[in-house]
Amino acid sequence: MTRYRTLKVDDLEILSATPPFLMSAELHPDAVYRINIDNDGDNQADAAFSFVFTDAGDGRQTATAYYATGADARRAEPTGEVLASAVPVGFDASARPVEAGRCRLFTGVRSDPFFADTEGALHGFAWTGEDAFGDKDVQCIALEVPDDMLGPDSAIQLWATVSVRRDGALVQVDRGGHPTINPFINPDYAKDAYNAGQPADDVATYLVPWTKILEGNGCPPAEASATAATVLPDVLRYDRDRPAVHPNGRGLTDDVFIARMSFLTN
């Protein structure tokens, strides 16, 4: 029996630190959105699903989806097998997935069902009780994938990236594995560099400064280093033999906002 998994990209910022609820409903026509899968533990993509979008006009937009493995999965350009083309982007309340090869695909605007008191988090944890995302949507790419397209072992690592064409070249402007890592942990001056980076470099680059941040929040040094290591490299670990509940993957209703606050405040 073929088993299927659902992969999802949302909450990603196209323009470095710009939050998704300040963006337009259309997906960026000069961007490459990608779901990266590492299935051998080296923090590099062994398989990748890439998505590109047409210009939006008259309230319509379409997507093309690609699947690549091996070296092709690590190329900046979308390469590999075309799973589907001319896939309509959904801008209304309905969700109409389409067949994309052996997968099913939905792209469009959806609600992300978790509570986030962003104003409180950004102002000294003085909680307002208001959900910053309650009346806002996110751009979503949801893909249902047969297990064998993700690799032979049950344990995989995933992260999403967005690259945008600038002066003819693709520049990576956003990435994320664990939810809400970059917005809450890195200072503003470091966010763009983080977005441009790769998981394979995360431990060497961020373990020491993130340990210092946790120490500054009252965490003992040894515990701070061990805690920082739980989210470095920034990949979402998922063992397909276990239930998908954060931190083993992420369920749509998992309270990842509070999980990140607990991480920061010890």
Side-chain angles (χ1 to χ4, degrees):
M1 178 182 295
T2 300
R3 299 177 66 188
Y4 286 81
R5 304 290 167 175
T6 299
L7 310 178
K8 183 169 176 278
V9 177
D10 61 11
D11 303 288
L12 289 180
E13 306 114 314
I14 298 301
L15 300 174
S16 56
T18 303
F21 49 84
L22 294 181
M23 294 161 53
S24 65
E26 296 83 11
L27 288 108
H28 202 304
D30 290 323
V32 176
Y33 298 76
R34 177 165 290 154
I35 301 172
N36 304 277
I37 297 99
D38 167 27
N39 54 38
D40 62 8
D42 66 355
N43 301 311
Q44 298 190 59
D46 300 299
F49 297 89
S50 300
F51 310 88
V52 295
F53 295 85
T54 61
D55 284 305
D58 299 324
R60 297 173 59 85
Q61 188 176 34
T62 63
T64 299
Y66 299 80
Y67 171 65
T69 59
D72 283 344
R74 296 183 284 277
R75 298 182 189 276
E77 295 286 345
T79 58
E81 175 189 356
V82 176
L83 296 176
S85 59
V87 176
V89 176
F91 294 120
D92 57 22
S94 62
R96 301 183 183 90
V98 301
E99 299 298 320
R102 298 167 57 213
C103 308
R104 288 204 311 158
L105 171 65
F106 168 81
T107 66
V109 176
R110 305 305 292 164
S111 172
D112 205 0
F114 70 92
F115 182 94
D117 188 342
T118 305
E119 284 300 310
L122 296 176
H123 296 89
F125 307 131
W127 305 116
T128 68
E130 298 294 327
D131 183 5
F133 298 98
D135 61 348
K136 298 174 178 68
D137 294 325
V138 294
Q139 299 168 337
C140 174
I141 300 170
L143 189 66
E144 187 178 73
V145 181
D147 259 355
D148 62 277
M149 294 179 76
L150 302 177
D153 296 331
S154 63
I156 57 176
Q157 303 185 137
L158 305 97
W159 68 101
T161 57
V162 182
S163 300
V164 173
R165 295 190 188 280
R166 292 176 176 167
D167 299 323
L170 276 174
V171 178
Q172 185 175 296
V173 296
D174 199 13
R175 68 167 171 128
H178 293 281
T180 67
I181 282 285
N182 192 29
F184 284 105
I185 296 180
N186 283 320
D188 286 346
Y189 66 81
K191 293 186 189 303
D192 287 351
Y194 185 86
N195 281 330
Q198 300 296 329
D201 302 319
D202 281 351
V203 172
T205 306
Y206 295 105
L207 182 59
V208 171
W210 287 14
T211 296
K212 295 298 183 184
I213 290 173
L214 295 177
E215 289 178 7
N217 288 338
C219 195
E223 184 178 335
S225 180
T227 300
T230 64
V231 293
L232 289 170
D234 184 11
V235 293
L236 191 62
R237 297 174 179 88
Y238 178 37
D239 186 338
R240 290 173 278 170
D241 287 340
R242 297 169 48 212
V245 178
H246 189 263
N248 184 52
R250 175 196 167 191
L252 292 181
T253 58
D254 287 346
D255 197 346
V256 296
F257 185 84
I258 293 302
R260 196 60 57 232
M261 291 300 98
S262 299
F263 172 85
L264 280 173
T265 58
N266 192 29

